[in-house]
Amino acid sequence: MADAGPSSGHGDQRKFRGRGISTYFSPKFFIASLFCLSWMCVSSALIMLNKWILSEEGFDYPILLASLGMLFSSIVSAVLIHGFHAEKPREDIDIEFWTTKILPIGLFSALCMATGNIPYMYLSVSYIQILKALSPVFTLIVLSLFGLEKPTLRLVFAVLIIAVGTGVAAVGEIQFSWFGTILMIVSEILEAMKLALMQQLLGSKQLSSLHGTYYLCPATFLWLTVGVCFMEMHRFIGNDGISLMVLKPHMYLLAASLGVGVNYLSVGVIKNASSLWLKVLGQVKNAALVYGSTIIFGNIVTA
């Protein structure tokens, strides 16, 4: 596994600016591109599968579903580090650092995943991807507040166009829900906060993608477990939700496995490119998902 150095501050933004054509043939650019392309493919597959499980299979437990990927990611990264010795645990990250620096990121991540999964029960995939076009807006604002991105006039103008376009596209949505829409916007704001904190952490501690997964995923899983206990466990037990998982275990194992891929690859994208690049690439992915959802789920996208 290869990583391309820290991604904090303005330095990571300069990886893709003004270094001539040789930049596009460098190993760093190739690694970053590979992470980006892989993340787009795997995360798209996970979104479509989660939507199917929640809406078509009637698995009415979005927080529990989100926690599967984090649980598997925690297990896989621990096995790779402690079992196969792929990398050594970091000596500079003790329980105090994990509690004060990483656990808060896990909280933002868990809240983001919970509020981001629930809307799939109320909104179409296509409409959710349209709303996600606002992500660069929130990400730019938060990164600017954290001093990780210096907004230019051209960048602000582009972000404003995205915001206006999203509002126009949302007006004609047929399957509309205020509850789902507000939750999705809240999720995007929480994700922007999480990405900014992750970018600071990965840059300051020089964490590899595996280390990032190893330390971050258990923190997120811990908070998701709290959410499941308070919000879904009583319904899951009362409605015999486990029977749905036993009926089609391969579907939930696939969702958990894709979650491992998304968690590892997203850390890689943030480390080798930046948080803002992650959101910009997400818009390309969202466009493909809008088209795919019209085929798989029969969503109607109005002009």
Side-chain angles (χ1 to χ4, degrees), residues 190-265:
L190 291 169
E191 184 173 21
M193 292 292 297
K194 178 199 75 173
L195 291 175
L197 292 172
M198 281 182 64
Q199 187 164 318
Q200 280 189 327
L201 175 69
L202 294 174
S204 64
K205 283 297 181 181
Q206 304 276 315
L207 294 179
S208 68
S209 299
L210 180 56
H211 275 138
T213 305
Y214 174 72
Y215 290 108
L216 288 166
C217 288
T220 304
F221 176 71
L222 176 63
W223 288 115
L224 285 172
T225 302
V226 173
V228 169
C229 291
F230 279 95
M231 300 178 64
E232 294 181 351
M233 186 56 67
H234 62 288
R235 290 188 293 109
F236 182 77
I237 296 176
N239 299 332
D240 193 24
I242 191 66
S243 61
L244 293 174
M245 302 180 74
V246 172
L247 186 63
K248 296 182 179 179
H250 61 281
M251 190 172 293
Y252 299 91
L253 287 172
L254 178 58
S257 300
L258 289 173
V260 175
V262 169
N263 291 327
Y264 177 82
L265 293 169

Side-chain angles (χ1 to χ4, degrees), residues 166-177:
T166 302
V168 172
V171 170
E173 170 61 15
I174 295 177
Q175 187 181 335
F176 182 82
S177 163

Side-chain angles (χ1 to χ4, degrees), residues 78-154:
V79 169
L80 288 175
I81 287 179
H82 295 288
F84 292 91
H85 305 289
E87 294 190 34
K88 294 181 179 180
R90 293 290 296 265
E91 296 181 357
D92 56 339
I93 299 181
D94 54 18
I95 187 63
E96 180 181 356
F97 182 90
W98 188 85
T99 303
T100 57
K101 301 295 184 181
I102 296 180
L103 199 57
I105 299 177
L107 176 60
F108 278 110
S109 181
L111 290 173
C112 168
M113 295 181 71
T115 54
N117 254 13
I118 294 174
Y120 283 94
M121 300 170 62
Y122 299 92
L123 304 171
S124 65
V125 172
S126 56
Y127 179 57
I128 288 175
Q129 304 318 306
I130 292 172
L131 287 178
K132 283 186 177 181
L134 286 172
S135 292
V137 178
F138 299 122
T139 303
L140 175 61
I141 293 173
V142 172
L143 289 179
S144 299
L145 293 175
F146 275 75
L148 298 173
E149 177 71 28
K150 185 177 181 180
T152 62
L153 183 61
R154 181 182 298 178

Side-chain angles (χ1 to χ4, degrees), residues 11 15 21 23 29 31 45 50 61 74 99 105 180 191 196 235 257 292:
K15 291 179 183 179
I21 193 169
T23 301
F29 184 82
I31 292 171
N50 281 350
Y61 317 101
S74 302
T99 303
I105 299 177
E191 184 173 21
R235 290 188 293 109
S257 300

